[in-house]
Amino acid sequence: MLNDVIENYLDSVEEREFDAPFIALLRAMGYWDIHFLHGSFEFGKDSIAKGNSEGSTAQFAFQTKAGDINLGAWSECRGQIDMLRTDSLAHPAFDEKLPRKAVFVTTGRLIGGAALAAQSYRDHLVQQSEIGFLTWDKQNLIEFISSHPGVCLASVTGGAFLALIGHIEQNKVSEREIENYSREWSSSDRDLNQISLETAIIAQRLRSANCLDLSAMTALMLLRAVWLRTHGVEPPAEVALVAADTGRQLFRHYAWRIFEECGEGMLKPLEFLRNHGSLAAHVTYPISCLRIVEILGLLYLLDSPQDAERKNVLGDFLVDFLNSNPGVSRPVSDRWAVSLIPAVLTCAQRGGTQAVRELLMRVAKWVADRYDSDGLGLSGPECGPDEEVDRLLGAPFEFIKLDRRAESYIATVVLDLAAILQLGDVFDLARNDFLAVGLFPSVIEAPDSEAQYILQSNDLAFTANMEYEESWPADAGWKVAPHHQRAKTDYYLQRIGRHWDHLALSSVLRDRHFPETCRHFLPVTPE
């Protein structure tokens, strides 16, 4: 059954979607000095690596393709194979003095006349005493992933993995189920490369099930597992950096896919709203809005400035989306509070202070209205969908039996973002609104230990009603609450320069954020 899952994965994986998992596969199989080269200057090589061949070290060069290769496609690939065999332009780590191994990789098969053409070309190279090439096709990849001693998913994945894949195929999976499953990655004694491959398979199956957002979130869960397992190791181990970079690359791939599906129609609220159906729109529309700005905000903060034009288009769309869609300012529960953080930080980097000011004021009003009069409040970050809906819509109905909930993590996020950005007018307005309705900003603080990566620990400090200043003090800088005074600047991920990974951790946990990490992404850090 596992082989069927792997075969389905290979049958539908896209070429660039396979890049990060292939690097993880090479590492799990014992290759080293691996470099991904795909781009304008790859010279026919998607990746290079060193590995053992016939008892000695060889320089490997790989070209990867997705899907079956017919005769026409083979003719195009042959030129790239020749570059694999003969061209030494690649990367400073490419050692042309070592014996060279050229490997043509396809997630499908050579079909039609392509198989005969490849064999004929291989025979010709032997006759000419030239460097040949290897072909890894789908069957080879299935065997590597399921049975190779360094990977061997068949020996380490159990019924839980297959059950999760089954739920994905049946469109019955939820983010909570995936997050719960991913906790095993943190406690497992499996190699991080194995877990990276498993993550890639899960994310790709989610993409095939039209759950791109869950694909992106699954990649972030890999990041959580990597840093929980290797917390405190300085300098960080290479295997941890590679696995974390795999998570980043997977997230980047799926987040850009999400952006590619965003269109001008999403900037027209009524048109976007109609896509959610009239009955469920009160819940699904704001959730969709917040998930989009969360993922696109994280993508903007992650992506390098090398592709400045593409990044600018992304940033412009995100700001326009924030300004045009009221759903962004109507989180249905505390679970969606963290969605605001990367969106607001992106907007701040784009110089959109006024847009941020207006957004936070709208969120503050929305939250206060949910707690005013007989309002039940909004559910906590750990709540399920049923309670989210009951608290959001159930106050007028006598059959909804829920006590008023006074705590609000959304209020904390609003006040903290206003403080971090030093928007004193927003802070004053929001604080007054929250005080007026008897709302308690709740805060979870984590030490620099494994506790920061998990949902439940005795080391976590929960404050049900954080005592913020009642009004913005002109000389206070940004620290206007006790947890601001205690905010750490030396968390492990901060020390090793992985601030983005630390920021992304909030998107997995949903119940906390790290103020100094957020401040790292400001265009100019206020003093």
Side-chain angles (χ1 to χ4, degrees):
M1 186 175 293
L2 176 63
N3 280 5
D4 291 339
V5 171
I6 298 171
E7 183 172 11
N8 288 337
Y9 164 70
L10 294 170
D11 283 341
S12 52
V13 73
E14 298 170 342
E15 193 166 306
R16 298 283 66 86
E17 188 178 17
F18 189 57
D19 290 334
F22 182 67
I23 297 299
L25 175 63
L26 291 179
R27 289 195 174 276
M29 292 171 63
Y31 292 84
W32 69 94
D33 200 10
I34 303 171
H35 299 274
F36 177 66
L37 306 180
H38 177 79
S40 302
F41 303 104
E42 64 182 59
F43 301 105
K45 309 170 189 67
D46 281 329
S47 306
I48 60 172
K50 293 181 176 65
N52 294 315
S53 176
E54 300 175 354
S56 61
T57 299
Q59 179 65 66
F60 285 77
F62 301 91
Q63 176 66 224
T64 55
K65 300 293 181 183
D68 292 335
I69 306 296
N70 59 25
L71 186 58
W74 164 255
S75 299
E76 297 177 7
C77 294
R78 177 169 164 168
Q80 292 177 313
I81 292 174
D82 281 338
M83 294 185 75
L84 283 180
R85 298 189 309 104
T86 62
D87 198 300
S88 297
L89 295 173
H91 187 276
F94 189 88
D95 192 341
E96 55 186 299
K97 297 178 182 179
L98 290 175
R100 184 180 306 192
K101 296 292 182 180
V103 185
F104 178 67
V105 183
T106 175
T107 61
R109 293 187 174 90
L110 299 178
I111 60 174
L116 290 175
Q119 185 58 52
S120 175
Y121 183 48
R122 192 176 284 108
D123 292 342
H124 169 75
L125 294 175
V126 171
Q127 292 172 6
Q128 299 299 315
S129 299
E130 294 187 22
I131 297 173
F133 67 97
L134 302 171
T135 300
W136 292 356
D137 65 5
K138 178 167 70 173
Q139 193 57 45
N140 298 118
L141 294 173
I142 291 173
E143 292 175 2
F144 293 156
I145 295 172
S146 65
S147 304
H148 188 282
V151 188
C152 204
L153 286 188
S155 68
V156 294
T157 56
F161 173 73
L162 296 176
L164 178 63
I165 295 297
H167 289 170
I168 294 171
E169 302 293 342
Q170 299 166 30
N171 289 312
K172 294 181 178 179
V173 75
S174 68
E175 182 178 344
R176 297 167 193 279
E177 180 181 2
I178 301 168
E179 189 278 324
N180 188 61
Y181 176 84
S182 74
R183 296 178 195 180
E184 187 272 337
W185 299 340
S186 303
S187 58
S188 172
D189 58 359
R190 289 190 282 153
D191 185 271
L192 285 173
N193 292 309
Q194 294 175 327
I195 293 172
S196 297
L197 283 168
E198 186 175 315
T199 303
I201 292 173
I202 294 169
Q204 186 274 336
R205 298 317 299 160
L206 287 164
R207 193 267 298 166
S208 295
N210 296 315
C211 299
L212 274 173
D213 64 318
L214 295 185
S215 297
M217 298 306 293
T218 300
L220 301 185
M221 294 171 196
L222 171 60
L223 280 178
R224 189 261 299 265
V226 170
W227 297 123
L228 174 53
R229 287 180 52 159
T230 62
H231 175 78
V233 178
E234 294 188 55
E238 181 184 8
V239 66
L241 291 172
V242 170
D245 286 344
T246 298
R248 283 185 172 199
Q249 184 59 27
L250 286 171
F251 175 84
R252 180 183 285 111
H253 175 82
Y254 291 116
W256 276 115
R257 280 291 304 271
I258 289 171
F259 180 62
E260 289 166 3
E261 295 186 3
C262 294
E264 291 297 318
M266 294 174 64
L267 303 179
K268 302 173 183 177
L270 289 178
E271 182 175 333
F272 190 28
L273 183 62
R274 291 190 189 102
N275 293 331
H276 293 269
S278 58
L279 293 179
H282 288 297
V283 177
T284 60
Y285 167 65
I287 287 177
S288 294
C289 287
L290 285 159
R291 180 44 54 88
I292 287 169
V293 300
E294 178 180 6
I295 290 176
L296 296 188
L298 284 171
L299 175 61
Y300 183 90
L301 297 172
L302 168 65
D303 231 18
S304 69
Q306 295 175 348
D307 191 0
E309 182 177 354
R310 189 185 190 196
K311 186 172 181 178
N312 282 334
V313 173
L314 168 64
D316 288 344
F317 175 86
L318 181 56
V319 174
D320 289 344
F321 191 92
L322 290 174
N323 288 330
S324 61
N325 275 284
V328 178
S329 59
R330 300 175 182 177
V332 301
S333 76
D334 280 353
R335 184 173 181 80
W336 301 97
V338 294
S339 300
L340 295 165
I341 296 173
V344 165
L345 294 175
T346 295
C347 198
Q349 282 198 9
R350 303 286 297 175
T353 303
Q354 185 58 32
V356 169
R357 177 178 281 107
E358 293 173 358
L359 171 63
L360 294 180
M361 287 182 173
R362 292 196 303 268
V363 176
K365 183 179 185 306
W366 161 264
V367 173
D369 286 346
R370 306 284 75 74
Y371 286 79
D372 197 9
S373 301
D374 295 326
L376 295 174
L378 295 173
S379 296
E382 76 292 343
C383 69
D386 290 343
E387 185 181 338
E388 276 186 326
V389 174
D390 286 348
R391 285 198 179 274
L392 179 67
L393 305 177
F397 304 105
E398 292 184 359
F399 62 87
I400 300 294
K401 304 297 184 182
L402 290 172
D403 294 329
R404 183 180 187 271
R405 178 176 178 268
E407 296 88 357
S408 173
Y409 177 50
I410 305 172
T412 303
V413 168
V414 169
L415 293 171
D416 279 4
L417 288 172
I420 288 167
L421 294 166
Q422 297 195 13
L423 301 176
D425 56 337
V426 176
F427 180 89
D428 283 342
L429 180 146
R431 185 65 175 139
N432 287 336
D433 283 354
F434 299 155
L435 287 170
V437 298
L439 177 156
F440 299 160
S442 58
V443 174
I444 290 178
E445 296 174 84
D448 185 29
S449 70
E450 288 85 352
Q452 69 190 287
Y453 308 97
I454 60 180
L455 287 169
Q456 295 181 346
S457 169
N458 291 333
D459 291 334
L460 296 173
F462 175 71
T463 304
N465 185 16
M466 181 57 67
E467 293 294 331
Y468 287 84
E469 297 285 345
E470 291 192 11
S471 62
W472 183 261
D475 59 348
W478 72 276
K479 297 183 177 182
V480 291
H483 69 293
H484 294 167
Q485 302 294 336
R486 296 189 292 262
K488 299 177 67 64
T489 59
D490 61 347
Y491 279 109
Y492 172 63
L493 291 176
Q494 294 170 340
R495 295 197 303 271
I496 65 173
R498 305 290 292 209
H499 293 82
W500 188 88
D501 296 18
H502 208 216
L503 181 71
L505 179 62
S506 295
S507 289
V508 177
L509 298 173
R510 316 300 299 177
D511 65 354
R512 76 199 69 159
H513 60 279
F514 307 93
E516 289 287 4
T517 294
C518 296
R519 293 181 78 241
H520 173 81
F521 293 95
L522 296 181
V524 177
T525 302
E527 296 295 337

